[in-house]
Amino acid sequence: MIDPVPLAPGVPSASGVPLASGVPLASGREADVFPYADGRVLRRYRNGAGTAGEAMMMRYAATHGFPVPEVFEARGPDLIMERLEGPTLAAAFITGAVPIAEAATMLASLHHRLHAVPPPFHPEPGMALLHLDLHPENVMLTARGPVVIDWHNAAEGPPDLDPAVTAMILAEVAADRTHPHTSAAAAFLPLFLTAIGGTPLAELPRAVEIRRIDPTLTPTEHAHITAAATFLRSTPT
């Protein structure tokens, strides 16, 4: 977790409308989420990255019935969205609120639903809309059901690539014996691979490369990539 950058109340968004509060509700690797008016939040990239492409992918997925936060505005590094209430899928199965097998099936189902959406630019056989960061921390359990967040990496590609990246992310946690959720990730991973089906490990080399070039990974996380790939290849399904 990266320390958030507080803003004074009244600091405007890219649209010129002041934030309700300068204290972030949450902070991730690249962005901070601030409270906004009318049941909305403002997600702001700290590095100034644009949000237009991310917003387009979210709106496109929504038109096909896939559960995403409603997007109200995207301009510059700011993305104004629906405010979601509820735990992440990761928190839910780690605390036991959702059985781990049910959580794995839920995540696999979200992958299957997403990959049934035709890609927006190249609707060709063997291509699908991909999230490329669809792991339990990026699923919010809300009153309207699970909702997928953080679409910054969304792209098009073969459907098996998406769960391969998810499996690598889980394997990186499972391979890191210092991580507080090592055991939970190691237990979740084979259940997810069984539920997802297909041949995601066929896309493992590409998934490893995607993880290697991820600029948000810490040196420690980079150091676990090779071990994670080995762990993943040996995971029973």
Side-chain angles (χ1 to χ4, degrees):
M1 182 70 71
I2 298 173
D3 290 336
V5 180
L7 298 176
V11 172
S13 73
S15 63
V17 180
L19 299 174
S21 169
V23 179
L25 294 168
S27 294
R29 293 173 182 264
E30 300 177 286
D32 301 311
V33 179
F34 296 91
Y36 202 70
D38 302 322
R40 304 177 183 184
V41 294
L42 182 145
R43 186 170 183 256
R44 174 171 289 166
Y45 282 102
R46 290 186 292 272
N47 64 2
T51 56
E54 182 175 1
M56 185 279 293
M57 288 293 204
M58 292 172 70
R59 286 169 171 152
Y60 178 80
T63 64
H64 288 269
F66 193 80
V68 304
E70 184 176 359
V71 176
F72 299 102
E73 180 186 349
R75 192 179 302 172
D78 291 354
L79 191 59
I80 299 173
M81 301 179 291
E82 166 193 8
R83 181 170 179 170
L84 302 176
E85 301 287 351
T88 65
L89 180 60
F93 80 75
I94 287 169
T95 61
V98 174
I100 190 169
E102 181 180 331
T105 299
M106 184 186 301
L107 185 62
S109 176
L110 288 167
H111 273 271
H112 291 147
R113 288 177 62 187
L114 179 61
H115 304 152
V117 175
F121 304 116
H122 302 92
E124 304 162 358
M127 297 287 285
L129 178 61
L130 309 181
H131 185 278
L132 296 179
D133 201 21
L134 184 41
H135 55 79
E137 289 283 0
N138 280 341
V139 178
M140 299 283 293
L141 302 183
T142 74
R144 64 180 171 99
V147 178
V148 176
I149 62 173
D150 288 356
W151 287 76
H152 188 61
N153 295 341
E156 299 177 334
D160 280 333
L161 179 58
D162 221 358
V165 173
T166 297
M168 268 298 298
I169 293 169
L170 291 165
E172 287 162 29
V173 176
D176 180 1
R177 295 303 175 187
T178 67
H179 198 286
H181 302 312
T182 294
S183 297
F188 187 95
L189 180 56
L191 295 171
F192 170 72
L193 289 174
T194 297
I196 198 67
T199 55
L201 294 189
E203 294 290 344
L204 184 56
R206 291 179 65 183
V208 168
E209 183 58 23
I210 287 171
R211 295 300 290 161
R212 287 196 191 283
I213 64 175
D214 187 334
T216 70
L217 295 189
T218 67
T220 299
E221 289 169 330
H222 269 289
H224 286 105
I225 289 176
T226 299
T230 300
F231 183 94
L232 182 53
R233 290 188 186 97
S234 65
T235 299
T237 59

